Every structure is written in structure tokens, then in C-alpha cells.
């Protein structure tokens, strides 16, 4: 074996890829992650959907249709994966709240309810009923957040606007990282007349230290806060991604960021290495096993041509609904478009199905066939469960 | 009581042109449009200001009208006409005979042509199919249909014309067998108004038959749907036509930052609820790709469909003024105008107004061909340099529209619909097709109190569904990727479906 050959090379630095990578690091393996860009996680609410189509997500998993990738992960392993995630996040100063046995409902920026399961602690108190007194604190000029939509649904709502002299969520979050700004903000807040019980704030409480900022603000003002996740770019999603990436690096993992796979070196049914398109320092990365976690269409793991769907790194066979005119339903507001079923089919060890050519390749995350992440509301949950399980399978292979 | 000389129904190019013509002749009038200006065929068309070349062989009347109007509009409407020039390209296998007839026809009609070698054509438009045999240059232009309508309305309003957009004519008031007024319904509030007039002009395009029926008249029409696709960038700076008898998918027109390609022609029963099929998209993209090969891979950002209305020929009985459009005096105070083109809208308006003047027994000459369109100076658009100045204020990233642009439109016209803002700022016209910015623009709109928060969500939902319909046929490649993102934002993050 060559020097500089990793035990495992993960392609795709999203929730599934990073989960797999961290799991393998924890098992003492040497791991590299190659990713062409930021994952979908950065656009997400940062909340972990396990299964939104039911109230009790863990129980609901067993009644998913045959062929859903959750079905490949043993029940115990799903629990283990979630515990592993909660632990990783807490160690990265981004503690999560919630249990995989019960879903919760968050207020969305238009005052509707979003079902989800595990939430960052800054959103722990977001379960509200329509009559509860809520006070919204927003920021002047904020692009994607309009308190009146929430006030319409929650009748006992008040609102105050703070001028942070920046108007993007990221800009405001950056300011919250500064202690003096936090002081000014807390002083201002104490001067507002706020009869309502809870304070809702768009998710801008910092980038790196959200939980400690949240705690400090609660202590300074003596109030109960919760964050409302906003549209992309979304701070809670970015925090989650940064936390996972940091966890991987802290465990000695190697990151090749901004690199796309240019070509694959193979010997028979074994992948030996990949060459990177933007080589930077290293042009080739070799591994004993490979994990493909390159995501679905949004991330480019899958690509739809006019009449077919392709897997973009290895050219693996892809399952997809045949007739393009049936890919999407007529209504924008109905979930469950057929095209969501597209993806790579795998066997119980997370390897591409039967006639697929490679023995040391494992698949996880939203690139898996029939995952229908939108329909079932299982984005990060499925990524975490399959990332964890695929890593276990891969670990057995490289042992 | 509100009494006008003329009530115009329809705010497409025809209706708006008539409003201006009447205004310049000093005739009191109002115009009623059930949506926004250019909501019908006008807004769904290619935006090609024809040189006449397309009709030079088979329909010389239409061709003569086109070249004459092309020159007039180039003069009076500098700011909404882009002098792109056009090419008719002959590909291997296209008939040489047709090309000869084409050149002869153009010469007879006075349409300037220049025959170009493949090398010269490729210099002008590098994206052309390099296998072309030759190209003929003609004075085709690109015209912005929405601006055109608005500029015509400027003249009307300045002279007391009353304009009701988002008002639908739901009935025609008749007394002793004559049409004496209309009943209109405000779309959002459903409140009803009545307006009286001496003459009612039916410029409702594909909906004209329905208006005629309300008036107790008949107007048998045949409807034909045409679909086109929009690319996410300009593949050509000139209009590209195929040098062969007119058929499906043989025109590509540059417009602002994009290109439009089309069209198809499919018989339909109703002008509402138009669907663009995947098959139509493939036909158009395939035909366009034979002229500009990049069409095979280019990102299509949406589809549109419009309906052409043709009068059934047996009902013409000699009253036609030109073969390309028809004016019908229903002899009960209602005049209908059917057919024609965007390119000849001014001529159509002139002829119709002449007929109305005769009916009213008034003699005032048409001035629309001489007087430049008013208000063009303000319609400079939003030049890139201006827009880059305050990037931090941008709410539409694709087209660089600022919050202040949106606020200005809101102040000026009190819009009730997102389309009112889109057409005036290009908000939402880029690759994401309003997926991101519409929510923001509506948020700003309800903040100003022009619509309530509930209304703005209703408008947004309606917009998203309409948008989806236009995009669904082109969902593959990058457009599919973007669509999944938008779906996740509205359903996954906002839970909009439960509203
Ligand atoms: C707007 C939005 C909001 C969402 N909100 C939520 C939410 O609130 N809760 C929830 O649970 N889920 C949510 N989801 C879904 C969830 O984010 C995803 O299902 C999940 O994160 C997918 O993770 P993944 O690891 O499978 O793939 P991805 O996150 O897509 O990661 C794939 C990675 O692979 C990289 N890659 C792709 N091709 C290559 C290549 N050739 N070479 C190298 N690298 C490559 C990409 O750059 C990317 O970083 C949301 C999704 C969207 C779009
Ligand atoms: C696909 C396609 C491409 C085309 N391309 C070109 C081109 O490139 N160049 C060119 O010169 N011509 C082109 N044409 C032709 C051109 O678009 C039309 O001839 C022209 O726009 C017709 O304008 P109009 O005002 O008569 O009709 P419309 O634009 O259809 O206007 C009728 C209006 O009446 C309104 N209305 C209907 N019922 C009511 C009611 N009850 N109350 C109030 N309002 C009502 C409608 O909302 C509509 O806005 C194209 C046509 C199509 C279909």
C-alpha cells in the first residue's frame, strides 16, 4: 500500500459525508473529505428533520414504504447515530435539544408551523400556541423577515425593531459576536416595554458562539428567547455545518475543500484513488475505501439531463422515473414529486447494487434512491443515519 | 355619471395603442384591463418588431404593413425598440428557391436586405450553426411589449384617459338594443362599477368572442396557442430567423439579458389555463438548436404561452381592412378588432379609431405616427452602473433590483399584484424567476400598507403556482436544481403549503 493512502476517502462534505467521516475518525481510521463546495446544510434551518410526516418520527420509520433507505439502517443504529450526533454537536458548543421519539413545531417566518425533531438549543422554546404572548425583535432593513406575518397568526404578539446598521442576517450575526454590540443590544432591549412572555428573534445570534450568546442574552435580560430560522443564507444551517466540519478537523481529518473529482483511478472492481480538478497542493487522493456522499440535484451529486439522470462522480447506475413529463406534479404546493425518487440504489452494506462495478465504494445521504427527502421531511436525519451506518459498514471493510 | 366617448376593453398592445390614438385626437376614453397591461398575447409574445421578411413570400400585405410600422416605431419609440437587426439563416437542405423568392419579395416591398457569407454571418453572431449556407440581414428589431404598452398609456393618462387595470368587464349594459356601458369588477375587492360610453371597443384579443357575446353579438374565432422558451442569457445579439416558409420554432429574439425562442402553434378551445407541454419545449429547443447549437445545453429558465386569435373567415364578408387584421362594426355601438401583430399595433389602432371617428361623425387626423412616444426619458430602465452603486440594497439578485426601485414603484402606482412591480423593474425575470425576490418584494409591499399581510401571502401563493406552471416544462439540468431549492425554501422552511 502507498504511503499517504487514507483508510477512507469521503466525497461530499455535507451532513451525510461529515457524519460518516467523523464516525470513521472516532473508530481510529484515517479519513479525507473532498468537497466541491458548501453543502445544502448551509441553506437549511439547522434543525434535524427525522421524519416529519408523522408525530413520532422513530416509530414512523418502520412504516415507510419498502425501499426507503431508512430501511437499510437497523433501529438501534438509528438511535446510536442520533446520540452520536447530539454528542458531537454538544462538544462543538452547539448543543441540540429534542428526542427522536417526538416531533416539535417551530414558528416559520410567515407564521406557519414547521415540523422538525432535533433543534439547536437556541430554538428550544419555539413551541408556541396561538394565544401565547410572543414579542418579536427584528432588525431594521432585514431582507427576508417581516414580523407582520407572524403577528397575523399569533394574536398576542408585539414587535420591536433594532437598528444594527447592517441588514443581512450574516452581517448582524457577525455583530453579535462582538461583546460591546451585545451590551448595547441588551440595554436597548431592557428599555423596551415588553409585556409578552417569550421573545422571538430571527436567527442572527452569532455565527461561531451562538449558544453562549443566547445564554448570555437570556441572563442579561432575564427573558426567554428563541430563534426563528430564516431563509438562506441561514445562520443555524451554517453553524451546524461549521460545527461538523470543525469536529472532523479536531479528530485529525483532512479536508480538500473546493475540489471536484476530475478522474477516478481503478483497478478491476477496486477504486484506488481520485484526481482533483482544482489540485491546489495535492492532485491525487488515494484510499482503501470510498464513501460517496455527493448529495442530490442541488449539490450536483445527481444531474438531470432532458431524458435521464446521471450520477456525476463515478457514473453509477441511477434509478429514476422514466418519463420526464411525470417528474413533477402540477401543483407547486404538493410534496412528493416523482423526481425525488431518483438516486443510486444500494444493498444492505451500502454498496451500489449488484451489477455496479465497485467493491470498496459506499453510498450515503440524499443521493440514495427513493430517499424522497422533501416528501417525508427527513433531510438531515437520513443523512445522519445513513452516514453513520455507511461508515460502520466501511469500517468493517477496511478493518 | 361617468360617461366617455369611448370605452376600450383590453390592455394589450392593441387596446393601449387605441387609448393613445384617441388621446391625441382629443377623444375622452377609458381603458379596462382585467389583469395588468400586456397580460394576454402581448406579454407572451416574442417581442419581435418584424421587418416584414417573414411574410415577404406568402403574405405581402402583412409584410408591407410590418416594414412601414417597423420604420415608424423605430422613430417614435427609440427607447423601447432595440435595433438588433435580424438574420434569416439558410441551413443545408433549406430550399434555394425559397431564398430567391424571399429576396425578390423583400426587394419589391422595399425591405433592405444584405446577403452574407457564412464567415461574415458568424462574425456577427458567433453562436450560429457554422454549417450554415448563408444568411440574409434584415432590419428586424426587438421590442419590449410591456414598455410599449406603458408608454402608450402615458399619452392617454396625460390627456385625461382613465385607466382601470385589474378590473374585469363582466357585463355590457344595453339599452334598446345598443351597448351603452360596461360593468366592471375590481379583482381583489370584487367591488362593481359602471361606466357609460358612446362607443365600446373590444380589444380583448383571444377573449374578444366572450365580450361580443356579452353584447349580444357574435364573433366566431379560432384560437391557436403558441409556446416559447426563455434562456438564462443572451445567445445572440441579433434576431435569428430560419430562411424557409414560416413554421414551428424558427425565431430567436434577444430581449434584455435573455433570448426567447419559439413558437409552436396548437389549436385550443380556451385562452385560459394554457399548458406548455414537454413536447413543445423539445420541438422549440430542437429547432432553435439547428440555428444556434448552444440551445442544446443552454439553461431554459421558463416557458410562456400566448394565444393568437383568428376570425373565422366566413364572417369576414368584405369588411376587412387588411388581410392581417379585422375591424368589425357590430352595428350596436360595439367595435371589435381582431388579429394583427404587436408590430402593427399602431396601424391597427389608427384604422380602428378612424372607424370610430366616422361613427361619431368627427374629423380629427391620427397623430400617432408623427409624435414620439412620451415618457421615454424616464423609462431608461435601470442601467447596470446605477444598480451596482447600492448593491447592499439589492432584493432581486438575478436582475439587480434594489429595494428602493421597488419602493418607488409602490409609491407611484400602488400596485396590488406582484406583476405590477415585475414589469416595471424586471424583478424576478432572471434565472430564479422570482423564486427568491418575490417573497421580499411582497414583504416590502405589505410593510408600506399597500396590501395587507394576508393579501400579500395570497398573491405570493398565486404567483408561485403560476411560476411553477411556466417552469415545469423545462425542469431538467440547472433549472431543476434551482427549483428543488425553491421548493425546499417555500415548503420546507416556510411551510407555505399549510397557509
Ligand atoms: C433550503 C433547504 C432547507 C432545508 N432545511 C432542512 C431542515 O430544516 N432540516 C433538515 O433536516 N433538512 C433540511 N434540508 C435538507 C437537508 O439539508 C439535506 O437533505 C441534507 O443536508 C443532505 O445532506 P447530504 O450530505 O446528503 O448532501 P449535501 O448537503 O447535498 O452535500 C453534498 C456535498 O457534496 C459535494 N459534491 C457534490 N458533487 C461533488 C463532486 N463531484 N466532487 C466533490 N464534491 C462534490 C457538494 O459540494 C456538497 O458539499 C433542507 C434543504 C434545503 C435545500
Ligand atoms: C406566442 C406568440 C408570439 C408572438 N410573437 C409576436 C412577435 O414576435 N411580433 C409581433 O409583432 N407579434 C407577435 N405575436 C402577435 C401579438 O402578440 C398579438 O397580435 C398582439 O399582442 C395582440 O394584442 P392584443 O392587444 O390584441 O391582445 P392581448 O394582448 O391578448 O390583449 C387582450 C387583453 O384583454 C384583456 N381582457 C380580456 N378579457 C377582458 C375583460 N373581460 N375585461 C377586461 N380585460 C379583458 C386581457 O387580459 C388581455 O390583456 C405573437 C403572438 C403569440 C401568441
Amino acid at each position: 500500500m502507498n504511503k499517504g493512502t487514507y483508510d477512507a476517502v469521503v466525497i461530499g462534505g455535507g451532513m451525510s459525508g461529515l457524519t460518516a467521516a467523523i464516525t470513521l475518525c472516532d473508530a481510529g481510521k484515517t479519513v479525507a473529505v473532498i468537497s466541491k463546495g458548501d453543502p445544502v446544510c448551509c441553506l437549511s434551518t439547522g434543525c434535524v428533520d427525522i421524519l416529519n410526516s408523522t408525530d413520532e418520527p422513530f416509530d414512523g420509520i418502520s412504516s415507510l414504504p419498502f425501499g426507503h433507505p431508512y430501511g437499510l439502517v437497523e433501529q438501534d443504529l438509528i438511535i446510536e447515530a442520533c446520540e452520536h450526533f447530539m454528542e458531537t454537536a454538544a462538544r462543538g458548543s452547539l448543543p441540540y435539544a429534542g428526542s427522536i421519539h417526538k416531533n416539535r413545531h417551530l414558528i416559520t417566518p410567515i407564521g406557519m408551523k414547521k415540523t422538525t425533531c432535533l433543534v439547536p438549543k437556541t430554538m428550544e422554546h419555539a413551541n408556541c400556541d396561538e394565544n401565547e404572548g410572543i414579542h418579536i425583535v427584528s432588525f431594521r432593513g432585514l431582507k427576508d423577515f417581516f414580523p407582520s406575518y407572524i403577528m397575523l397568526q399569533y394574536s398576542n404578539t408585539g414587535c420591536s425593531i433594532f437598528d444594527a446598521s447592517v441588514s443581512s442576517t450574516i452581517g448582524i450575526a457577525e455583530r453579535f459576536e462582538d461583546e460591546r454590540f451585545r451590551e448595547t443590544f441588551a440595554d436597548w432591549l431592557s428599555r423596551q416595554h415588553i409585556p409578552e412572555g417569550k421573545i422571538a428573534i430571527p436567527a442572527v445570534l452569532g455565527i461561531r458562539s451562538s449558544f453562549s450568546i443566547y445564554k448570555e442574552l437570556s441572563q442579561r435580560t432575564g427573558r426567554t428567547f428563541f430563534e426563528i430560522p430564516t431563509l438562506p443564507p441561514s445562520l443555524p444551517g451554517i453553524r451546524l455545518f461549521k460545527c461538523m466540519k470543525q469536529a472532523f478537523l479536531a479528530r485529525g481529518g483532512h479536508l480538500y475543500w473546493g475540489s471536484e473529482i476530475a478522474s477516478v483511478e481503478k483497478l478491476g472492481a477496486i477504486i484506488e484513488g481520485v484526481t482533483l480538478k482544482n489540485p491546489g497542493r495535492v492532485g491525487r487522493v488515494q484510499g482503501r475505501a470510498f464513501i460517496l456522499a455527493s448529495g442530490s440535484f442541488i449539490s450536483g451529486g445527481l444531474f438531470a439531463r432532458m431524458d435521464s439522470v446521471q450520477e456525476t462522480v463515478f457514473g453509477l447506475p441511477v434509478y429514476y422515473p422514466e418519463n420526464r413529463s411525470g417528474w413533477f406534479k402540477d401543483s407547486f404546493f404538493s410534496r412528493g414529486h416523482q423526481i425525488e425518487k431518483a438516486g443510486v440504489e444500494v444493498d444492505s452494506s451500502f454498496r451500489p447494487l449488484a451489477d455496479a462495478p465497485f467493491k470498496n465504494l459506499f453510498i450515503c445521504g440524499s443521493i440514495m434512491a427513493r430517499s424522497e427527502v422533501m416528501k417525508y421531511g427527513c433531510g438531515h436525519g437520513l443523512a445522519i443515519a445513513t452516514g453513520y451506518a455507511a461508515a460502520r459498514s466501511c469500517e468493517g471493510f477496511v478493518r | 355619471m361617468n360617461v366617455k366617448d369611448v370605452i376600450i376593453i383590453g390592455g394589450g398592445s392593441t387596446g393601449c395603442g387605441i387609448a393613445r390614438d384617441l388621446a391625441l385626437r382629443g377623444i375622452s376614453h377609458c381603458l379596462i384591463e382585467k389583469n395588468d397591461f400586456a397580460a394576454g398575447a402581448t406579454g407572451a409574445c416574442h417581442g419581435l418588431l418584424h421587418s416584414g421578411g417573414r411574410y415577404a413570400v406568402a403574405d405581402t400585405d402583412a409584410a408591407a404593413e410590418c416594414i412601414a410600422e417597423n420604420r415608424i416605431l423605430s422613430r417614435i419609440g427609440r427607447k423601447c425598440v432595440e435595433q438588433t437587426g435580424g438574420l434569416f439563416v439558410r441551413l443545408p437542405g433549406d430550399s434555394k428557391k425559397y431564398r430567391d423568392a424571399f429576396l425578390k419579395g423583400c426587394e419589391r416591398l422595399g425591405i433592405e436586405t444584405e446577403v452574407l457569407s457564412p464567415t461574415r454571418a458568424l462574425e456577427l453572431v458567433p453562436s450560429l450553426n457554422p454549417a450554415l449556407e448563408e444568411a440574409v440581414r434584415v432590419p428586424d428589431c426587438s421590442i419590449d411589449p410591456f414598455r410599449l404598452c406603458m408608454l402608450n398609456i402615458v399619452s392617454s393618462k396625460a390627456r385625461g384617459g382613465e385607466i382601470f387595470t385589474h378590473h374585469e368587464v363582466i357585463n355590457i349594459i344595453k339599452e334598446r338594443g345598443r351597448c351603452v356601458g360596461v360593468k366592471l369588477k375590481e379583482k381583489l375587492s370584487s367591488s362593481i362599477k359602471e361606466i357609460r360610453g358612446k362607443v365600446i371597443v373590444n380589444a380583448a384579443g383571444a377573449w374578444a368572442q366572450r365580450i361580443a357575446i356579452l353584447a349580444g353579438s357574435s364573433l366566431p374565432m379560432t384560437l391557436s396557442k403558441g409556446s416559447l422558451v426563455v434562456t438564462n442569457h443572451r445567445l445572440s445579439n441579433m434576431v435569428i430567423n430560419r430562411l424557409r416558409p414560416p413554421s414551428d420554432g424558427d425565431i430567436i429574439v434577444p430581449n434584455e439579458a435573455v433570448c426567447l425562442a419559439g413558437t409552436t402553434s396548437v389549436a385550443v378551445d380556451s385562452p385560459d389555463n394554457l399548458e406548455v407541454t414537454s413536447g413543445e419545449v423539445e420541438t422549440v429547443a430542437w429547432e432553435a438548436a439547428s440555428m444556434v447549437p448552444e440551445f442544446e445545453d443552454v439553461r431554459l429558465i421558463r416557458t410562456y404561452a400566448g394565444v393568437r386569435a383568428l376570425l373565422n373567415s366566413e364572417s369576414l364578408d368584405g369588411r376587412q381592412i387588411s388581410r392581417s387584421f379585422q375591424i368589425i362594426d357590430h352595428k350596436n355601438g360595439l367595435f371589435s378588432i381582431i388579429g394583427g401583430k404587436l408590430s402593427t399595433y399602431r396601424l391597427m389602432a389608427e384604422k380602428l379609431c378612424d372607424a370610430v371617428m366616422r361613427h361619431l361623425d368627427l374629423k380629427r387626423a391620427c397623430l400617432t405616427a408623427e409624435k414620439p412616444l412620451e415618457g421615454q426619458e424616464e423609462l431608461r430602465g435601470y442601467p447596470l452602473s446605477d444598480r451596482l452603486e447600492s448593491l447592499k440594497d439589492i432584493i432581486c439578485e438575478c436582475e439587480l433590483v434594489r429595494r428602493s426601485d421597488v419602493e418607488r414603484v409602490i409609491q407611484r402606482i400602488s400596485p396590488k399584484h406582484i406583476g405590477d412591480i415585475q414589469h416595471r423593474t424586471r424583478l424576478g425575470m432572471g434565472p430564479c424567476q422570482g423564486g427568491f425576490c418575490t417573497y421580499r418584494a411582497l414583504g416590502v409591499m405589505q410593510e408600506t400598507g399597500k396590501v395587507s399581510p394576508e393579501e400579500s401571502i395570497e398573491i405570493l401563493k398565486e404567483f408561485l403556482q403560476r411560476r411553477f406552471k411556466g417552469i415545469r416544462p423545462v425542469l431538467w439540468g440547472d433549472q431543476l436544481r434551482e427549483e428543488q431549492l425553491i421548493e425546499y425554501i417555500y415548503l420546507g422552511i416556510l411551510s407555505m403549503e399549510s397557509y
Side-chain angles (χ1 to χ4, degrees), chain B residues 422-483:
Chain B
Q422 288 184 315
H423 289 137
R424 288 162 181 86
T425 60
R426 292 197 59 76
L427 178 101
M429 305 290 201
C432 88
Q433 288 291 296
F436 286 95
C437 56
T438 306
Y439 169 66
R440 291 180 191 152
L442 281 162
V444 172
M445 212 153 123
Q446 58 85 28
E447 272 182 352
T448 63
K450 298 287 182 195
V451 296
S452 70
E454 291 104 310
E455 280 170 340
S456 74
I457 297 276
E458 285 309 319
I459 296 171
L460 181 55
K461 282 193 80 169
E462 192 264 334
F463 166 80
L464 287 169
Q465 181 54 39
R466 193 156 32 83
R467 168 187 175 282
F468 186 64
K469 206 171 148 186
I471 286 183
R472 194 176 171 274
V474 289
L475 286 179
W476 68 85
D478 286 336
Q479 201 61 19
L480 185 146
R481 163 191 297 186
E482 182 114 23
E483 192 51 34

Side-chain angles (χ1 to χ4, degrees), chain B residues 9-15 32-36 39-42 44-48 50 167-169 203-207 211 226-228 263 306-308 339-343:
Chain B
I9 305 173
S13 52
T14 312
I32 302 158
E33 164 55 52
K34 66 177 173 179
N35 296 308
D36 193 9
T42 304
C45 89
H46 247 127
L48 166 58
H50 285 283
H167 281 74
E168 180 172 3
V169 170
W207 294 267
I211 300 292
S227 300
L228 35 86
T263 78
V307 173
R308 301 181 186 91
K341 297 180 183 36
L342 177 75
S343 304

Side-chain angles (χ1 to χ4, degrees), chain A residues 11-18 34-50 52 114 116 232 241 257 259-261 292-296 298-302 312-313 364-367 373 377-381 383, chain B residues 484-486 488-489 492-493:
Chain A
I11 298 163
M15 279 304 280
S16 63
L18 288 171
I34 302 169
S35 195
K36 129 179 124 172
D38 286 353
V40 173
C41 180
C42 294
L43 309 168
S44 79
T45 65
C47 303
V48 177
D49 299 347
I50 305 270
N52 293 349
K114 173 192 160 54
T116 188
F241 164 63
W257 210 258
S259 311
E260 216 175 320
I261 311 292
L292 183 66
S294 51
S296 177
I298 299 181
S299 289
L302 298 177
T312 55
V313 178
C364 61
S366 56
I367 193 175
V373 162
C378 61
H380 292 331
Chain B
Q484 292 217 316
L485 175 57
I486 305 246
Y488 227 116
I489 290 177
I493 299 184

Side-chain angles (χ1 to χ4, degrees), chain B residues 154-168:
Chain B
V154 168
S155 303
S156 154
K157 277 188 175 166
R159 291 166 183 76
E162 268 194 87
I163 309 295
F164 300 92
T165 51
H166 305 297
H167 281 74
E168 180 172 3

Side-chain angles (χ1 to χ4, degrees), chain B residues 8-17 31-50 55 66 141 143 145 149 164 166-171 183-185 187 202-208 210-211 214 224-228 251 253 262-264 271-272 274 304-309 324 337-345 348:
Chain B
I8 306 160
I9 305 173
S13 52
T14 312
C16 295
L31 180 147
I32 302 158
E33 164 55 52
K34 66 177 173 179
N35 296 308
D36 193 9
F37 304 120
T42 304
C45 89
H46 247 127
L48 166 58
L49 177 52
H50 285 283
Y55 308 104
C66 283
C141 306
I143 180 163
C149 288
F164 300 92
H166 305 297
H167 281 74
E168 180 172 3
V169 170
I170 52 165
N171 212 345
K183 259 203 175 99
L184 45 154
K185 185 168 98 184
K187 276 232 163 156
N202 175 12
W207 294 267
R210 298 193 190 163
I211 300 292
L214 292 179
S224 141
K225 175 186 73 163
S227 300
L228 35 86
I251 307 182
V253 184
T263 78
T264 53
D272 297 312
L274 304 175
Y304 283 102
V307 173
R308 301 181 186 91
S324 62
I337 178 159
I338 302 295
K341 297 180 183 36
L342 177 75
S343 304
T344 55
Y345 88 97
M348 294 164 66

Side-chain angles (χ1 to χ4, degrees), chain A residues 36-108:
Chain A
K36 129 179 124 172
D38 286 353
V40 173
C41 180
C42 294
L43 309 168
S44 79
T45 65
C47 303
V48 177
D49 299 347
I50 305 270
L51 186 68
N52 293 349
S53 49
T54 153
D55 261 355
E56 279 132 17
F58 183 71
D59 293 344
I61 284 174
S62 50
S63 37
L64 280 170
F66 180 76
H68 192 280
Y70 258 137
L72 299 173
V73 190
E74 282 165 33
Q75 301 235 323
D76 298 351
L77 225 49
I78 295 181
I79 295 183
E80 227 176 281
C82 286
E83 280 167 357
H84 181 254
F85 164 75
M86 299 278 268
E87 222 176 273
T88 309
R91 272 171 61 188
S93 313
L94 188 68
Y96 270 64
S99 139
I100 82 162
H101 297 287
K102 190 90 195 118
N103 272 333
R104 30 175 87 215
H105 306 282
L106 309 183
I107 301 182
T108 76

